[in-house]
Amino acid sequence: GEGQWGRAMQDDLNDAVDWAVKQGIADPKRVCMVGASYGGYAAMRAAQRDGGKYRCAVSYAGVSDLSAMMRYDSRFLYHSSRKAWMKEQAPNFAAVSPINFAAQFSTPILLIHGKKDRRVQVSQSREMAEKLKAAGKVAGQDYIYAEQPLGDHHFSREADRLDFLQRLDAFLKQHNPA
C-alpha cells in the first residue's frame, strides 16, 4: 500500500467486492462500505470515487483531509517520522482527500464523529458535511451528519456504540433495504 492510499488500496476494496459477488456471497446491488478511522476514510473515498459500486457508505471518525490531519498530528511526539511515513503512503494528499471532491460523491453517506475524538478531529467529518452541502448534496438524502457530544475515537462509551448502531440501522434501512 505504500504510496497507494486512496488509489490501489481502494482498488483492493473494489476487487474484494467483485470477488464476493463472483463467489455468490454478496449481491452487487446491495453493497455498502462501512468503516472507522482509516476505514471511514475508505468509505468516504468509495462514495466519492466509486459510487457506482456501492449503494451507500458509512464513515465513523473518518479522515477527509489528509493535509489537515497532518497539521493536527504536528502537535504530537514523533511528528516528523509520522509525516515522512504519511508522505510514503500518499505522496499527494490533495489528490486523495475526499474533502476536495464533494461534488463527485454519488452514493449516500452517513458521517458520524465524536466531538471528543483526539485521534481524528471532529472537523474532519464536520467539514466534509459542509463541503457536501456546498456542492448541492441534500442533507438527509445524499448525506447524514451526526456528532456524538461525548464520543471519542474508540467507542469507549456504551451509549455512543448504541447510538452509532441505531443510526447505522436506520441509515441501512433507508439506503440499503433488504
Side-chain angles (χ1 to χ4, degrees), residues 34-110:
V34 179
S37 196
Y38 173 83
Y41 162 80
M44 283 188 240
R45 188 77 165 133
Q48 172 252 311
R49 194 189 87 149
D50 304 305
K53 185 171 285 295
Y54 300 96
R55 191 163 178 181
C56 58
V58 178
S59 171
Y60 181 86
V63 175
S64 65
D65 183 341
L66 292 170
S67 294
M69 188 69 208
M70 287 311 303
R71 286 191 302 274
Y72 176 67
D73 275 356
S74 70
R75 294 184 265 163
F76 296 104
L77 192 61
Y78 306 121
H79 166 68
S80 59
S81 62
R82 179 159 169 79
K83 184 176 183 179
W85 179 83
M86 275 300 297
K87 274 298 193 187
E88 291 172 4
Q89 309 319 304
N92 183 348
F93 291 161
V96 295
S97 290
I99 200 158
N100 296 324
F101 306 99
Q104 293 178 6
F105 276 63
S106 60
T107 193
I109 187 164
L110 171 62

Side-chain angles (χ1 to χ4, degrees), residues 60-61 72 113-122 151-154:
Y60 181 86
Y72 176 67
H113 215 117
K115 283 186 177 181
K116 296 194 180 261
D117 190 334
R118 292 187 162 182
R119 181 68 202 105
V120 177
Q121 286 185 304
V122 68
D152 63 13
H153 193 70
H154 307 286

Side-chain angles (χ1 to χ4, degrees), residues 61-62 111-115 117 120-122 124-125 145-148:
L111 302 165
I112 300 181
H113 215 117
K115 283 186 177 181
D117 190 334
V120 177
Q121 286 185 304
V122 68
Q124 289 283 335
S125 293
Y145 176 62
E147 287 184 12
Q148 295 178 321

